[in-house]
Amino acid sequence: DIQMTQSPSSLSASVGDRVTITCQASQDISNYLNWYQQKPGKAPKLLIYDASNLETGVPSRFSGSGSGTDFTFTISSLQPEDIATYFCQQYPNLPYTFGQGTKLEI
Amino acid sequence: QLRLQESGPGLVKPSETLSLTCTVSGGSVISSSYYWGWVRQSPGRGLEWIGNVYYSGSTYFSPSLKSRVTISLDTSKNRFSLNLTSVTAADTAVYYCARVGYYGTQSFDIWGQGTMVTVSS
């Protein structure tokens, strides 16, 4: 299985801050990486697909980059509604695997 | 607007079979563009992919669960189902159904709300 390692596991930031989360794959996955946001008691929501493409309707303050084994997820200016846990996910290697999550707090 | 809704028992006894159904509304499960999948989430295991089913009936499972999992598609009722046999406390989790892209990006782009399943006697 491909292991996905996110860092940090938790992060405290202020409204307006630039926030960066990293995800490292245990082997080369090209750009086959997705990012999700999960709020408490809710299902994950797709934000970024193929490492850098913004899902329809997702605010432009969210962005992603990277390829190979190292990926970055960025919120350019943190908003109160961005408080959530963020996960990366690789494909198409089965089993799909997710990072352990980064909990973002204000 | 496509919606997915999980249903099934919230409590299952150890050694028994966990059975969940995901009903799809606002669209058809007969689509060559998507898989229909199951993911579970627990504090100890995080998000864990269980398996996918394609409209043709082809199925794909996580190797760690493959011996205990079946996923089936009921096109007449526009739903798909998960069966997990011989459950233990380790199978206690929130179970989500989701739509998964087939061509190109394989992202989980639409999710059900999730259903909590506890394994306990």
Side-chain angles (χ1 to χ4, degrees), chain B residues 38-56:
Chain B
W38 289 95
V39 174
R40 68 182 183 180
Q41 185 174 32
S42 62
R45 294 174 179 263
L47 285 165
E48 181 181 17
W49 174 69
I50 300 170
N52 291 350
V53 61
Y54 193 49
Y55 83 102
S56 63

PDB file of all heavy atoms in Angstrom, chain B residues 38-56:
ATOM      1  N   TRP B  38     -17.381   2.657  -1.025  1.00  0.00           N
ATOM      2  CA  TRP B  38     -17.580   2.718   0.424  1.00  0.00           C
ATOM      3  C   TRP B  38     -16.252   3.069   1.103  1.00  0.00           C
ATOM      4  O   TRP B  38     -15.202   2.533   0.752  1.00  0.00           O
ATOM      5  CB  TRP B  38     -18.089   1.380   0.958  1.00  0.00           C
ATOM      6  CG  TRP B  38     -19.491   1.055   0.576  1.00  0.00           C
ATOM      7  CD1 TRP B  38     -19.903   0.302  -0.487  1.00  0.00           C
ATOM      8  CD2 TRP B  38     -20.683   1.476   1.246  1.00  0.00           C
ATOM      9  NE1 TRP B  38     -21.273   0.235  -0.535  1.00  0.00           N
ATOM     10  CE2 TRP B  38     -21.779   0.937   0.530  1.00  0.00           C
ATOM     11  CE3 TRP B  38     -20.943   2.241   2.384  1.00  0.00           C
ATOM     12  CZ2 TRP B  38     -23.110   1.147   0.909  1.00  0.00           C
ATOM     13  CZ3 TRP B  38     -22.258   2.458   2.763  1.00  0.00           C
ATOM     14  CH2 TRP B  38     -23.331   1.917   2.033  1.00  0.00           C
ATOM     15  N   VAL B  39     -16.352   3.960   2.066  1.00  0.00           N
ATOM     16  CA  VAL B  39     -15.210   4.389   2.871  1.00  0.00           C
ATOM     17  C   VAL B  39     -15.668   4.390   4.322  1.00  0.00           C
ATOM     18  O   VAL B  39     -16.812   4.744   4.607  1.00  0.00           O
ATOM     19  CB  VAL B  39     -14.752   5.816   2.471  1.00  0.00           C
ATOM     20  CG1 VAL B  39     -13.653   6.325   3.405  1.00  0.00           C
ATOM     21  CG2 VAL B  39     -14.279   5.849   1.028  1.00  0.00           C
ATOM     22  N   ARG B  40     -14.797   3.999   5.224  1.00  0.00           N
ATOM     23  CA  ARG B  40     -15.155   4.093   6.633  1.00  0.00           C
ATOM     24  C   ARG B  40     -14.137   4.942   7.373  1.00  0.00           C
ATOM     25  O   ARG B  40     -13.010   5.140   6.908  1.00  0.00           O
ATOM     26  CB  ARG B  40     -15.293   2.715   7.259  1.00  0.00           C
ATOM     27  CG  ARG B  40     -14.005   1.928   7.384  1.00  0.00           C
ATOM     28  CD  ARG B  40     -14.298   0.547   7.979  1.00  0.00           C
ATOM     29  NE  ARG B  40     -13.077  -0.221   8.174  1.00  0.00           N
ATOM     30  CZ  ARG B  40     -13.063  -1.457   8.676  1.00  0.00           C
ATOM     31  NH1 ARG B  40     -14.188  -2.057   9.028  1.00  0.00           N
ATOM     32  NH2 ARG B  40     -11.918  -2.085   8.841  1.00  0.00           N
ATOM     33  N   GLN B  41     -14.546   5.408   8.533  1.00  0.00           N
ATOM     34  CA  GLN B  41     -13.688   6.296   9.321  1.00  0.00           C
ATOM     35  C   GLN B  41     -13.844   5.978  10.796  1.00  0.00           C
ATOM     36  O   GLN B  41     -14.938   5.956  11.337  1.00  0.00           O
ATOM     37  CB  GLN B  41     -14.054   7.762   9.072  1.00  0.00           C
ATOM     38  CG  GLN B  41     -13.144   8.757   9.758  1.00  0.00           C
ATOM     39  CD  GLN B  41     -13.469  10.185   9.366  1.00  0.00           C
ATOM     40  OE1 GLN B  41     -14.614  10.537   9.093  1.00  0.00           O
ATOM     41  NE2 GLN B  41     -12.454  11.045   9.309  1.00  0.00           N
ATOM     42  N   SER B  42     -12.718   5.739  11.433  1.00  0.00           N
ATOM     43  CA  SER B  42     -12.692   5.509  12.873  1.00  0.00           C
ATOM     44  C   SER B  42     -11.509   6.255  13.454  1.00  0.00           C
ATOM     45  O   SER B  42     -10.540   6.559  12.734  1.00  0.00           O
ATOM     46  CB  SER B  42     -12.582   4.011  13.182  1.00  0.00           C
ATOM     47  OG  SER B  42     -11.377   3.495  12.658  1.00  0.00           O
ATOM     48  N   PRO B  43     -11.552   6.559  14.739  1.00  0.00           N
ATOM     49  CA  PRO B  43     -10.436   7.301  15.345  1.00  0.00           C
ATOM     50  C   PRO B  43      -9.114   6.569  15.198  1.00  0.00           C
ATOM     51  O   PRO B  43      -8.077   7.188  14.987  1.00  0.00           O
ATOM     52  CB  PRO B  43     -10.863   7.411  16.814  1.00  0.00           C
ATOM     53  CG  PRO B  43     -12.345   7.349  16.785  1.00  0.00           C
ATOM     54  CD  PRO B  43     -12.674   6.394  15.682  1.00  0.00           C
ATOM     55  N   GLY B  44      -9.150   5.258  15.252  1.00  0.00           N
ATOM     56  CA  GLY B  44      -7.905   4.511  15.203  1.00  0.00           C
ATOM     57  C   GLY B  44      -7.351   4.296  13.802  1.00  0.00           C
ATOM     58  O   GLY B  44      -6.136   4.233  13.620  1.00  0.00           O
ATOM     59  N   ARG B  45      -8.232   4.221  12.818  1.00  0.00           N
ATOM     60  CA  ARG B  45      -7.800   3.895  11.453  1.00  0.00           C
ATOM     61  C   ARG B  45      -7.895   5.065  10.489  1.00  0.00           C
ATOM     62  O   ARG B  45      -7.454   4.961   9.344  1.00  0.00           O
ATOM     63  CB  ARG B  45      -8.645   2.739  10.910  1.00  0.00           C
ATOM     64  CG  ARG B  45      -8.454   1.423  11.632  1.00  0.00           C
ATOM     65  CD  ARG B  45      -9.451   0.415  11.101  1.00  0.00           C
ATOM     66  NE  ARG B  45      -9.319  -0.880  11.725  1.00  0.00           N
ATOM     67  CZ  ARG B  45      -8.641  -1.892  11.213  1.00  0.00           C
ATOM     68  NH1 ARG B  45      -8.036  -1.749  10.053  1.00  0.00           N
ATOM     69  NH2 ARG B  45      -8.568  -3.042  11.831  1.00  0.00           N
ATOM     70  N   GLY B  46      -8.487   6.170  10.919  1.00  0.00           N
ATOM     71  CA  GLY B  46      -8.675   7.287  10.008  1.00  0.00           C
ATOM     72  C   GLY B  46      -9.633   6.923   8.897  1.00  0.00           C
ATOM     73  O   GLY B  46     -10.522   6.085   9.058  1.00  0.00           O
ATOM     74  N   LEU B  47      -9.444   7.546   7.730  1.00  0.00           N
ATOM     75  CA  LEU B  47     -10.269   7.237   6.563  1.00  0.00           C
ATOM     76  C   LEU B  47      -9.702   6.010   5.867  1.00  0.00           C
ATOM     77  O   LEU B  47      -8.510   5.972   5.531  1.00  0.00           O
ATOM     78  CB  LEU B  47     -10.287   8.422   5.598  1.00  0.00           C
ATOM     79  CG  LEU B  47     -11.145   9.615   6.006  1.00  0.00           C
ATOM     80  CD1 LEU B  47     -10.785  10.835   5.172  1.00  0.00           C
ATOM     81  CD2 LEU B  47     -12.623   9.286   5.859  1.00  0.00           C
ATOM     82  N   GLU B  48     -10.565   5.028   5.646  1.00  0.00           N
ATOM     83  CA  GLU B  48     -10.141   3.759   5.060  1.00  0.00           C
ATOM     84  C   GLU B  48     -11.068   3.383   3.911  1.00  0.00           C
ATOM     85  O   GLU B  48     -12.282   3.226   4.107  1.00  0.00           O
ATOM     86  CB  GLU B  48     -10.153   2.663   6.115  1.00  0.00           C
ATOM     87  CG  GLU B  48      -9.704   1.302   5.623  1.00  0.00           C
ATOM     88  CD  GLU B  48      -9.768   0.246   6.722  1.00  0.00           C
ATOM     89  OE1 GLU B  48     -10.446   0.474   7.744  1.00  0.00           O
ATOM     90  OE2 GLU B  48      -9.134  -0.820   6.548  1.00  0.00           O
ATOM     91  N   TRP B  49     -10.506   3.238   2.723  1.00  0.00           N
ATOM     92  CA  TRP B  49     -11.296   2.811   1.575  1.00  0.00           C
ATOM     93  C   TRP B  49     -11.629   1.330   1.721  1.00  0.00           C
ATOM     94  O   TRP B  49     -10.751   0.519   2.019  1.00  0.00           O
ATOM     95  CB  TRP B  49     -10.520   3.048   0.286  1.00  0.00           C
ATOM     96  CG  TRP B  49     -11.165   2.514  -0.932  1.00  0.00           C
ATOM     97  CD1 TRP B  49     -12.302   2.967  -1.534  1.00  0.00           C
ATOM     98  CD2 TRP B  49     -10.716   1.401  -1.723  1.00  0.00           C
ATOM     99  NE1 TRP B  49     -12.592   2.219  -2.651  1.00  0.00           N
ATOM    100  CE2 TRP B  49     -11.632   1.252  -2.785  1.00  0.00           C
ATOM    101  CE3 TRP B  49      -9.635   0.538  -1.644  1.00  0.00           C
ATOM    102  CZ2 TRP B  49     -11.495   0.260  -3.759  1.00  0.00           C
ATOM    103  CZ3 TRP B  49      -9.492  -0.447  -2.601  1.00  0.00           C
ATOM    104  CH2 TRP B  49     -10.416  -0.586  -3.649  1.00  0.00           C
ATOM    105  N   ILE B  50     -12.903   0.986   1.472  1.00  0.00           N
ATOM    106  CA  ILE B  50     -13.346  -0.399   1.565  1.00  0.00           C
ATOM    107  C   ILE B  50     -13.413  -1.044   0.189  1.00  0.00           C
ATOM    108  O   ILE B  50     -12.889  -2.148  -0.026  1.00  0.00           O
ATOM    109  CB  ILE B  50     -14.730  -0.476   2.247  1.00  0.00           C
ATOM    110  CG1 ILE B  50     -14.666   0.111   3.661  1.00  0.00           C
ATOM    111  CG2 ILE B  50     -15.240  -1.914   2.254  1.00  0.00           C
ATOM    112  CD1 ILE B  50     -16.030   0.288   4.315  1.00  0.00           C
ATOM    113  N   GLY B  51     -14.077  -0.389  -0.743  1.00  0.00           N
ATOM    114  CA  GLY B  51     -14.195  -0.966  -2.072  1.00  0.00           C
ATOM    115  C   GLY B  51     -15.105  -0.156  -2.969  1.00  0.00           C
ATOM    116  O   GLY B  51     -15.774   0.772  -2.528  1.00  0.00           O
ATOM    117  N   ASN B  52     -15.068  -0.511  -4.256  1.00  0.00           N
ATOM    118  CA  ASN B  52     -15.877   0.142  -5.284  1.00  0.00           C
ATOM    119  C   ASN B  52     -16.630  -0.901  -6.089  1.00  0.00           C
ATOM    120  O   ASN B  52     -16.176  -2.040  -6.244  1.00  0.00           O
ATOM    121  CB  ASN B  52     -14.995   0.909  -6.281  1.00  0.00           C
ATOM    122  CG  ASN B  52     -14.320   2.131  -5.702  1.00  0.00           C
ATOM    123  OD1 ASN B  52     -14.626   2.563  -4.591  1.00  0.00           O
ATOM    124  ND2 ASN B  52     -13.389   2.676  -6.468  1.00  0.00           N
ATOM    125  N   VAL B  53     -17.743  -0.455  -6.670  1.00  0.00           N
ATOM    126  CA  VAL B  53     -18.460  -1.262  -7.662  1.00  0.00           C
ATOM    127  C   VAL B  53     -18.700  -0.382  -8.890  1.00  0.00           C
ATOM    128  O   VAL B  53     -18.945   0.820  -8.767  1.00  0.00           O
ATOM    129  CB  VAL B  53     -19.796  -1.813  -7.095  1.00  0.00           C
ATOM    130  CG1 VAL B  53     -20.750  -0.697  -6.693  1.00  0.00           C
ATOM    131  CG2 VAL B  53     -20.444  -2.787  -8.074  1.00  0.00           C
ATOM    132  N   TYR B  54     -18.572  -0.983 -10.051  1.00  0.00           N
ATOM    133  CA  TYR B  54     -18.805  -0.268 -11.309  1.00  0.00           C
ATOM    134  C   TYR B  54     -20.166  -0.696 -11.847  1.00  0.00           C
ATOM    135  O   TYR B  54     -20.697  -1.749 -11.466  1.00  0.00           O
ATOM    136  CB  TYR B  54     -17.684  -0.608 -12.289  1.00  0.00           C
ATOM    137  CG  TYR B  54     -17.589   0.246 -13.516  1.00  0.00           C
ATOM    138  CD1 TYR B  54     -17.618   1.639 -13.436  1.00  0.00           C
ATOM    139  CD2 TYR B  54     -17.453  -0.330 -14.782  1.00  0.00           C
ATOM    140  CE1 TYR B  54     -17.511   2.420 -14.576  1.00  0.00           C
ATOM    141  CE2 TYR B  54     -17.342   0.447 -15.927  1.00  0.00           C
ATOM    142  CZ  TYR B  54     -17.385   1.824 -15.818  1.00  0.00           C
ATOM    143  OH  TYR B  54     -17.278   2.601 -16.940  1.00  0.00           O
ATOM    144  N   TYR B  55     -20.731   0.089 -12.751  1.00  0.00           N
ATOM    145  CA  TYR B  55     -22.079  -0.201 -13.228  1.00  0.00           C
ATOM    146  C   TYR B  55     -22.167  -1.571 -13.907  1.00  0.00           C
ATOM    147  O   TYR B  55     -23.232  -2.175 -13.973  1.00  0.00           O
ATOM    148  CB  TYR B  55     -22.564   0.906 -14.169  1.00  0.00           C
ATOM    149  CG  TYR B  55     -22.097   0.777 -15.591  1.00  0.00           C
ATOM    150  CD1 TYR B  55     -22.952   0.299 -16.580  1.00  0.00           C
ATOM    151  CD2 TYR B  55     -20.800   1.118 -15.956  1.00  0.00           C
ATOM    152  CE1 TYR B  55     -22.531   0.170 -17.889  1.00  0.00           C
ATOM    153  CE2 TYR B  55     -20.365   0.995 -17.261  1.00  0.00           C
ATOM    154  CZ  TYR B  55     -21.238   0.521 -18.227  1.00  0.00           C
ATOM    155  OH  TYR B  55     -20.813   0.387 -19.522  1.00  0.00           O
ATOM    156  N   SER B  56     -21.025  -2.060 -14.389  1.00  0.00           N
ATOM    157  CA  SER B  56     -20.994  -3.380 -15.033  1.00  0.00           C
ATOM    158  C   SER B  56     -21.091  -4.514 -14.012  1.00  0.00           C
ATOM    159  O   SER B  56     -21.302  -5.669 -14.384  1.00  0.00           O
ATOM    160  CB  SER B  56     -19.689  -3.529 -15.812  1.00  0.00           C
ATOM    161  OG  SER B  56     -18.586  -3.482 -14.908  1.00  0.00           O
TER     162      SER B  56
END
